[in-house]
């Protein structure tokens, strides 16, 4: 099966393009920030610079690991579901579930390893740029030189490969077993665990004082965990909402029907969408509250405060880029896979405009679901942080930041879906059905 996995990767590389891109970006992020550990441990680095660099590597390294896992998991889930007919044929040909798992995991590991190796060069350049940012802001001495060493290299390779192997195993397990009850129990356990841990993390915020340097960490991680829990719950919530949507006309009917059928599959899209909205909204608002609190105190920003602001803005930048790539990957793969469905709808009498309308409505429903759940996760963290930091319940910044985050989410989700569907619809309906068969 490992030989079959390598042959599949060589013969059909396009199938694994989304996974390769996710692994490449994830490894680049991990190695870029973990190179700060190598730099901090180099000879001649002063204690203040070393602490700044180690803090950056530790904080963003945790975010990066989560992002890599969910990025690779979302693309692999879509990939495995698109290959359900191939996997069923292998089972009918005598392949055991264990053999199929080894094949899919072998494919994922091979692709992830290639992506991680390709990311080494960009990570070296990214580490130099990141070090320049810290030096320009006065947080790291100008005499410190960038070092890309074993911590960056091995952490990038190990985390990326392990995340790919774990995500592939979880994705193929659903396709090779018929134990729906055990799957639902496992999913329920993950949902409860993420929500409970997220709630505990946010509640722990109230154990800190307003001036604690680590005050922002518990609500930030709590918002991430709540986002994960809501993302896992989203397919069931989506089904419940669909029955109450007042959508009419051909496009509305097709959209509701399609979303009901594919609700479980859409988790690969909703996970990065909810994570993006939850993490970006929470981090930006908490940093804005922190800046206002420092200004109100009338004291200059300390090195720690500058370090925290740089980290938060960097994290948001990573979240925006990485989550957008995850969204684009998942939406592109999921929409391209519907080539046969679109062709059948057109042969049944639907016009290309009606099909595009259907895709647009689906995208708006998905975006609305992601906005509601991601905002809920972010609001929990923002409220806890603001209460402790300023004694107010909600921040004074208004809706501007939230509207900006939502605008990016809508543009990426709706834009990618419509552009991909338009490209798919350019092919004749008969050809689309024949090629996908």
């Amino acid at each position: 099966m490992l030989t079959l996995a390598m042959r599949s990767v060589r013969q059909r590389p396009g199938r694994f393009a989304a996974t390769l891109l996710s692994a490449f970006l994830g490894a680049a992020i991990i190695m870029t920030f973990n190179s700060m550990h190598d730099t901090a441990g180099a000879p001649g680095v002063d204690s203040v610079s070393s602490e700044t660099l180690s803090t950056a590597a530790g904080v963003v390294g945790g975010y990066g690991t989560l992002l890599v896992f969910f990025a690779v998991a979302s693309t692999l889930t879509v990939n495995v579901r698109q290959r359900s007919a191939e996997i069923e044929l292998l089972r009918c040909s005598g392949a055991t579930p264990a053999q199929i798992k080894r094949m899919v995991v072998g494919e994922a590991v091979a692709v992830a390893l290639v992506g991680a190796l390709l990311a080494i060069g960009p990570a070296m350049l990214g580490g130099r740029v990141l070090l320049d940012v810290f030096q320009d802001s006065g947080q790291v001495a100008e005499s410190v030189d960038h070092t890309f060493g074993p911590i960056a290299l091995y952490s990038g390779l190990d985390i990326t490969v392990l995340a790919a192997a774990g995500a592939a195993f979880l994705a193929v397990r659903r396709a090779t077993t018929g134990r729906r009850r055990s799957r639902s129990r496992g999913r329920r356990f993950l949902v409860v665990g993420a929500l409970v841990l997220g709630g505990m993390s946010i509640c722990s915020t109230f154990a800190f004082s307003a001036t604690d340097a680590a005050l922002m960490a518990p609500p930030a991680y709590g918002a991430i965990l709540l986002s994960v829990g809501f993302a896992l719950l989203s397919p069931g919530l989506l089904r419940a909402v669909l029955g109450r949507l007042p959508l009419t006309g051909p496009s509305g009917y097709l959209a509701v029907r399609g979303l009901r059928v594919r609700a479980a599959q859409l988790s690969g899209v909703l996970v990065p969408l909810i994570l993006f909205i939850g993490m970006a909204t929470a981090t930006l608002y908490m940093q804005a509250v922190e800046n206002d609190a420092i200004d109100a105190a009338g004291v200059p920003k300390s090195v720690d405060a500058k370090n925290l602001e740089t980290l938060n803005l960097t994290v948001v930048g990573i979240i925006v880029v990485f989550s957008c790539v995850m969204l684009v990957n998942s939406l592109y793969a999921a929409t391209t896979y519907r080539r046969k469905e679109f062709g059948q709808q057109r042969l049944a009498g639907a016009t290309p405009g009606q099909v595009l309308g259907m895709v647009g409505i689906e995208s708006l429903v998905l975006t609305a679901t992601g906005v509601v759940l991601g905002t809920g996760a972010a609001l929990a963290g923002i409220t806890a942080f603001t209460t402790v930091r300023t004694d107010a319940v909600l921040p004074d910044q208004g809706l501007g930041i939230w509207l900006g985050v939502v605008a990016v989410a809508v543009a990426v989700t709706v834009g990618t879906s419509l552009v991909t569907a338009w490209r798919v619809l350019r092919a004749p309906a008969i050809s689309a059905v024949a090629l996908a068969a």
Side-chain angles (χ1 to χ4, degrees), residues 199-362:
M200 291 174 61
S201 181
I202 288 175
C203 290
S204 68
T205 306
F206 297 96
F208 291 81
S209 67
T211 56
D212 278 335
L215 175 62
M216 201 177 294
Y221 278 109
I224 294 173
L225 290 169
L226 289 180
S227 298
V228 172
F230 290 157
L232 294 173
L233 276 175
S234 57
L237 296 175
L238 186 59
R239 290 193 187 96
V241 171
L242 289 173
R244 297 173 174 82
L245 289 178
L247 297 176
T248 59
S251 296
Y253 169 79
L254 291 173
V256 171
R257 184 179 181 279
L259 287 171
R260 282 175 178 167
V261 172
R262 300 184 300 109
Q265 301 174 9
L266 293 172
S267 59
V269 175
L270 286 169
V271 166
L273 179 60
I274 295 172
L275 281 174
F276 163 63
I277 294 172
M279 294 172 68
T281 303
T283 306
L284 288 173
Y285 269 106
M286 286 190 288
Q287 184 59 53
V289 170
E290 177 68 19
N291 290 341
D292 287 350
I294 293 175
D295 292 340
V299 295
K301 284 186 178 180
S302 64
V303 173
D304 289 339
K306 291 181 179 180
N307 188 19
L308 182 62
E309 183 176 10
T310 303
L311 277 177
N312 286 332
L313 296 178
T314 304
V315 167
V316 171
I318 292 172
I319 292 169
V320 170
V321 174
F322 204 65
S323 297
C324 285
V325 171
M326 289 166 62
L327 268 175
V328 170
N329 276 347
S330 300
L331 286 167
Y332 179 82
T335 306
T336 303
Y337 178 65
R338 301 174 68 186
R339 185 187 308 272
K340 181 178 179 180
E341 175 191 342
F342 293 162
Q344 290 174 333
Q345 290 171 348
R346 292 165 64 191
L347 291 176
T351 66
Q354 289 172 337
V355 176
L356 281 177
M358 173 195 72
V359 173
I361 293 172
E362 289 177 353

Side-chain angles (χ1 to χ4, degrees), residues 26-41 53-54 56-62 64-65 123 127 130 146-157 159:
I29 291 171
I30 292 172
M31 287 190 284
T32 294
F33 280 92
N34 277 318
S35 69
M36 298 299 101
H37 277 309
D38 293 308
T39 304
L53 295 170
S54 298
V59 172
V60 184
T65 302
L130 184 61
H146 179 253
T147 302
F148 188 92
I151 297 177
L153 180 62
Y154 292 127
S155 64
L157 294 175
I159 292 174

Side-chain angles (χ1 to χ4, degrees), residues 404-426:
V405 172
V406 171
V408 174
V410 172
V412 173
T413 306
V414 178
T416 302
S417 298
L418 289 178
V419 170
T420 306
W422 174 76
R423 291 186 60 185
V424 170
L425 290 172
R426 293 173 63 184

